[in-house]
């Protein structure tokens, strides 16, 4: 037995022969790097043995990871759940990269592969959107299929360019975007930005297709108007979204050369998250739940002692979120107000937005009534099943119904789209009149509330993924999967107002929180927070449902006070 094998962990797989065989094949194909994901041809999270390519090659048997092999190196990227497992299962041929960031993988490849080198992967194992070149190809395909056959798409929204090229910046506080425009034609790509801000890796990625159809021509930000004016002198048609295009650029294009729609094809494509993006957003919400639970426990200890105010509270939640893996800071200035505690965060793999209302002493019957009806609205919309292609505005009233039943309402929208490490308010998804119909893969917030000016405010906000519902119909129906994972304040819930179905939904939601957040709390050795989670996710008794109801006459004096506070 060789010295090398004597020092292998007993649980590790010897991959030397497998790597040698792969590298031999790579040499015959002229391949400098080969990428192997953990999924199958259907983008499944859990796969059959026949599709376990990553496990066979690396020895690592976890459900999430990506491997890259060059002629002299091999590396595996996986998230924090699997670091210890990967160290035990992989031999010394492999480097463990403790992240799942696609940017990290790209940077490593650019460092290890010579300029002009050939990078190979199985296209049936990678989703559209994994690389920016695939996104460009998808938009050009839409241009070709459009009845008016546009020759170009103009992108003015900062999120559009950031999403298209898988780039992020920091030109605007709390938003990972950068000042830019893009003119994507059927043969060229022009990106207008401050070129000095580009990292070497980003620049290399953008110009790697030069010369050719995927060559990004980098131009200064201020050159967009002149370039657009020159382009539109020819026989062209420019497709743009009017919601995000300024009149200054719009007026440059002759009317007969315009193709106008509310939103550009990039804005629509960005709204529907692919399987990888969905997985990353879910993971971000697990880590964010850890930070919010830490925060709520801290508040329980400090608020009764008078040791915290709204400003210090906001600072503390920001610090807790920064400590979480992949955190890139708040996605909005954290809001922490008496009676209404809300905060939002960016992670490299997703953006979160959550609001929880808590009470530190004994809530009044009026506060419990209002809170419970807000919660009922959140539950009713979250568990709703509706036909595909339904506009959000057509289901929005389900979030208000419990409040409307007693003459109450709230004066803001019920929800908005959520970016994938982009803006926390992402159009065109949501429940307003100018939002697009809901599709599977879209993320939206669900956030009903009630506010009594000068006294208290209530909001419950969760992020939900639109998914296909399981029905017996041959037609496609949709529903919501809530991905925010923080329990509600038990002392504010009047169980007698809830139906048995609503209580069953709460219990299922709490079981999901325990299953997904509990292990992460323990992995981070947060035992006190784990105990808090167990206590605050205890199932509710179904026998409590609908046993007591406030009579209309008994509620009337309270309503008059509430409505008076609203200026009625």
């Amino acid at each position: 037995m060789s010295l090398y094998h004597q020092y292998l962990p007993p649980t590790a797989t010897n991959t030397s022969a497998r790597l040698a065989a792969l590298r031999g094949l790579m040499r015959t194909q002229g391949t400098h790097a080969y990428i192997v994901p953990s999924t199958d041809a259907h983008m499944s999270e859990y796969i059959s043995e026949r599709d376990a390519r990553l496990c066979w090659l690396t020895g690592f048997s976890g459900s999430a990871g990506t491997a890259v092999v060059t002629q002299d190196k091999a590396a595996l990227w996986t998230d924090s759940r699997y670091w210890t497992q990967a160290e035990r299962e992989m031999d010394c041929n492999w480097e463990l990269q403790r992240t799942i960031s696609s940017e990290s993988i790209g940077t490593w490849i650019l460092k290890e592969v010579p300029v002009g080198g050939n990078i190979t992967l199985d296209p049936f194992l990678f989703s559209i959107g994994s690389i920016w070149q695939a996104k460009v190809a998808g938009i050009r395909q839409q241009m070709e299929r459009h009845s008016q056959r546009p020759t170009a798409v103009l992108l003015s929204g900062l999120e559009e360019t950031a999403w298209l090229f898988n780039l992020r910046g920091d030109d605007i506080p709390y938003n990972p975007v950068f000042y830019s425009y893009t003119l994507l034609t059927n043969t060229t790509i022009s990106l207008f930005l401050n070129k000095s801000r580009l990292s070497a890796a980003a620049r290399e990625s953008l110009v790697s297709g030069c010369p050719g159809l995927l060559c990004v021509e980098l131009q200064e930000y201020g050159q967009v108007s002149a370039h657009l004016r020159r382009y539109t002198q020819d026989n062209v048609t420019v497709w743009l979204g009017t919601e995000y295009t300024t009149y200054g650029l719009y007026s440059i294009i002759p009317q007969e050369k315009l193709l106008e729609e509310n939103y550009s094809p990039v804005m629509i494509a960005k709204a529907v998250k692919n399987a990888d993006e969905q997985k990353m957003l879910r993971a971000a919400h697990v880590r964010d739940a850890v930070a919010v639970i830490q925060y709520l426990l801290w508040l329980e200890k400090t608020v009764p002692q008078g040791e915290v105010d709204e400003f210090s509270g906001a600072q503390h939640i920001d610090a807790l979120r920064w400590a979480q893996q992949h955190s890139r800071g708040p996605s909005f200035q954290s809001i922490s107000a008496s009676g209404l505690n809300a905060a939002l965060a960016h992670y490299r793999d997703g953006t979160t937005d959550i609001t929880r209302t808590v009470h530190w002493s004994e809530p009044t019957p009026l506060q419990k009534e209002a809170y419970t009806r807000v919660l009922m609205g959140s539950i009713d919309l979250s568990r709703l099943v509706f036909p595909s292609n339904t506009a959000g505005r057509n289901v929005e009233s389900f979030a208000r119904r419990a409040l409307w039943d007693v003459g109450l309402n709230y004066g803001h929208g019920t929800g908005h789209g959520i970016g994938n490490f982009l803006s926390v308010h992402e159009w065109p998804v949501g429940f307003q009149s100018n939002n697009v119909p809901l599709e599977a893969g879209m993320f939206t917030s669900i956030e009903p509330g009630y506010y009594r000016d000068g006294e208290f405010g209530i909001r419950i906000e969760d992020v939900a993924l639109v998914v296909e519902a399981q029905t017996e119909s041959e037609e496609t129906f949709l529903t919501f999967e809530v991905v925010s994972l923080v329990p509600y304040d038990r002392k504010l819930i009047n169980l007698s107002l809830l139906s048995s179905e609503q209580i069953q939904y709460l219990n299922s939601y709490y079981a999901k929180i325990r299953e997904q957040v509990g292990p992460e709390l323990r992995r981070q050795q947060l035992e006190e927070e784990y105990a808090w989670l167990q206590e605050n996710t205890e199932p509710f008794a179904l026998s409590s449902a609908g046993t007591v109801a406030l009579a209309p006459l008994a509620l009337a004096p309270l309503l008059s006070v509430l409505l008076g506070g609203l200026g009625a």
Side-chain angles (χ1 to χ4, degrees):
M1 179 180 291
S2 70
L3 182 64
Y4 171 81
H5 293 300
Q6 290 178 17
Y7 288 94
L8 274 178
T11 52
T13 299
N14 184 353
T15 63
S16 296
R18 298 172 186 179
L19 283 170
L22 174 60
R23 284 168 173 153
L25 184 60
M26 289 167 59
R27 280 192 294 271
T28 63
Q29 301 293 324
T31 296
H32 294 85
Y34 188 69
I35 308 174
V36 181
S38 55
T39 189
D40 60 14
H42 302 277
M43 309 310 298
S44 307
E45 180 178 4
Y46 300 102
I47 58 176
S48 66
E49 185 176 354
R50 72 168 194 173
D51 290 313
R53 300 168 181 82
L54 187 71
C55 181
W56 179 85
L57 181 63
T58 67
F60 170 64
S61 61
S63 65
T66 302
V68 181
V69 177
T70 67
Q71 285 300 329
D72 55 3
K73 288 189 177 182
L76 173 83
W77 284 258
T78 190
D79 65 68
S80 56
R81 295 173 296 169
Y82 297 116
W83 291 347
T84 301
Q85 178 180 343
E87 288 174 340
R88 291 173 178 172
E89 294 181 338
M90 295 194 307
D91 65 10
C92 299
N93 287 305
W94 292 90
E95 302 173 5
L96 175 59
Q97 304 290 328
R98 299 170 185 267
T99 177
I100 57 172
S101 163
S102 57
E103 181 179 332
S104 169
I105 299 173
T107 301
W108 189 90
I109 291 173
L110 288 171
K111 179 181 176 182
E112 300 298 332
V113 174
V115 176
N118 184 18
I119 303 167
T120 303
L121 51 80
D122 184 340
F124 289 95
L125 300 178
F126 288 83
S127 62
I128 294 294
S130 299
I131 55 176
W132 69 261
Q133 292 90 340
K135 295 179 182 180
V136 167
I139 299 303
R140 281 176 168 162
Q141 195 172 56
Q142 290 190 52
M143 292 163 61
E144 293 175 4
R145 292 175 177 174
H146 199 287
S147 60
Q148 297 188 38
R149 302 298 293 269
T151 61
V153 174
L154 175 63
L155 305 179
S156 296
L158 300 184
E159 299 171 29
E160 296 177 297
T161 290
W163 177 86
L164 182 63
F165 296 110
N166 291 338
L167 297 175
R168 300 297 185 266
D170 57 3
D171 285 352
I172 297 178
Y174 308 112
N175 291 271
V177 295
F178 51 97
Y179 292 117
S180 58
Y181 295 97
T182 297
L183 185 67
L184 171 63
T185 79
N186 42 25
T187 58
T188 65
I189 311 169
S190 298
L191 172 57
F192 303 87
L193 77 170
N194 182 348
K195 292 190 285 187
S196 66
R197 299 288 305 280
L198 279 175
S199 67
R203 182 184 295 267
E204 179 67 27
S205 172
L206 294 171
V207 302
S208 61
C210 299
L213 296 177
L214 292 174
C215 172
V216 180
E217 301 170 4
L218 301 175
Q219 304 198 38
E220 288 298 332
Y221 178 77
Q223 295 176 346
V224 61
S225 296
H227 183 92
L228 185 61
R229 191 170 286 109
R230 287 193 300 270
Y231 178 76
T232 54
Q233 290 176 358
D234 296 327
N235 183 25
V236 298
T237 301
V238 179
W239 189 2
L240 54 79
T242 55
E243 291 283 342
Y244 280 83
T245 303
T246 64
Y247 183 74
L249 289 180
Y250 176 88
S251 62
I252 291 174
I253 307 169
Q255 285 294 312
E256 68 274 12
K257 298 181 180 181
L258 271 171
L259 170 55
E260 302 176 44
E261 295 182 359
N262 285 343
Y263 301 102
S264 76
V266 168
M267 191 67 78
I268 301 298
K270 175 171 62 66
V272 180
K273 309 303 190 277
N274 64 39
D276 288 338
E277 291 169 325
Q278 292 176 28
K279 185 186 299 185
M280 290 190 294
L281 277 160
R282 286 192 180 98
H285 280 85
V286 171
R287 295 194 305 276
D288 193 58
V290 170
V292 175
I293 288 168
Q294 288 179 284
Y295 180 55
L296 291 174
L297 178 59
W298 177 79
L299 287 174
E300 282 187 5
K301 296 177 179 179
T302 56
V303 169
Q305 301 174 16
E307 297 177 357
V308 61
D309 56 25
E310 294 167 359
F311 179 72
S312 62
Q315 285 186 313
H316 191 68
I317 184 62
D318 286 350
L320 291 171
R321 281 181 159 136
W322 269 114
Q324 288 297 311
Q325 184 188 20
H326 304 313
S327 176
R328 290 300 178 268
S331 57
F332 198 80
Q333 187 170 9
S334 293
I335 304 165
S336 181
S338 178
L340 179 65
N341 293 291
L344 320 90
H346 279 307
Y347 295 86
R348 174 160 268 169
D349 47 359
T351 299
T352 67
D353 192 358
I354 186 170
T355 307
R356 288 295 182 264
T357 301
V358 291
H359 200 291
W360 304 119
S361 56
E362 187 63 32
T364 67
L366 174 59
Q367 291 168 338
K368 290 186 69 170
E369 168 91 7
Y371 180 91
T372 303
R373 291 191 177 277
V374 170
L375 176 61
M376 291 163 68
S378 177
I379 293 172
D380 288 348
L381 183 54
S382 298
R383 61 189 291 267
L384 182 68
V385 176
F386 52 93
S388 64
N389 206 40
T390 296
R393 65 179 180 274
N394 293 337
V395 299
E396 192 257 7
S397 60
F398 282 86
R400 300 179 185 268
R401 178 179 173 180
L403 290 167
W404 285 357
D405 282 344
V406 292
L408 302 181
N409 202 2
Y410 53 91
H412 57 76
T414 295
H416 54 80
I418 301 290
N420 186 31
F421 186 29
L422 275 170
S423 297
V424 70
H425 292 170
E426 181 177 79
W427 291 85
V429 179
F431 301 95
Q432 300 186 43
S433 59
N434 58 345
N435 291 141
V436 298
L438 295 168
E439 293 183 39
M442 292 179 171
F443 282 82
T444 180
S445 67
I446 295 176
E447 47 182 301
Y450 178 73
Y451 312 92
R452 185 178 181 186
D453 191 29
E455 296 194 31
F456 65 86
I458 295 165
R459 185 183 294 187
I460 294 173
E461 180 178 14
D462 290 308
V463 173
L465 169 64
V466 182
V467 297
E468 287 197 16
Q470 301 300 312
T471 71
E472 296 181 2
S473 172
E474 295 181 358
E475 304 296 326
T476 300
F477 279 74
L478 304 174
T479 189
F480 296 104
E481 174 198 334
V482 173
V483 297
S484 301
L485 296 167
V486 178
Y488 310 112
D489 191 344
R490 300 176 78 92
K491 71 170 70 71
L492 282 166
I493 301 175
N494 182 350
L495 290 174
S496 68
L497 294 176
L498 301 183
S499 68
S500 59
E501 291 82 5
Q502 290 167 333
I503 291 180
Q504 286 175 336
Y505 174 88
L506 273 180
N507 288 342
S508 296
Y509 176 56
Y510 280 5
K512 176 181 175 181
I513 293 175
R514 283 186 170 188
E515 178 184 352
Q516 296 189 20
V517 182
E520 182 64 16
L521 287 169
R522 290 208 143 163
R523 190 193 67 80
Q524 296 188 30
Q525 300 181 348
L526 298 171
E527 292 299 327
E528 188 176 8
E529 286 79 1
Y530 179 82
W532 183 97
L533 177 69
Q534 297 303 303
E535 178 182 351
N536 283 274
T537 53
E538 279 292 324
F540 294 103
L542 287 174
S543 59
S544 303
T547 56
V548 179
L550 291 175
L553 288 177
L555 189 58
L558 298 178
L559 287 180
S560 65
V561 175
L562 283 168
L563 294 173
L566 289 171

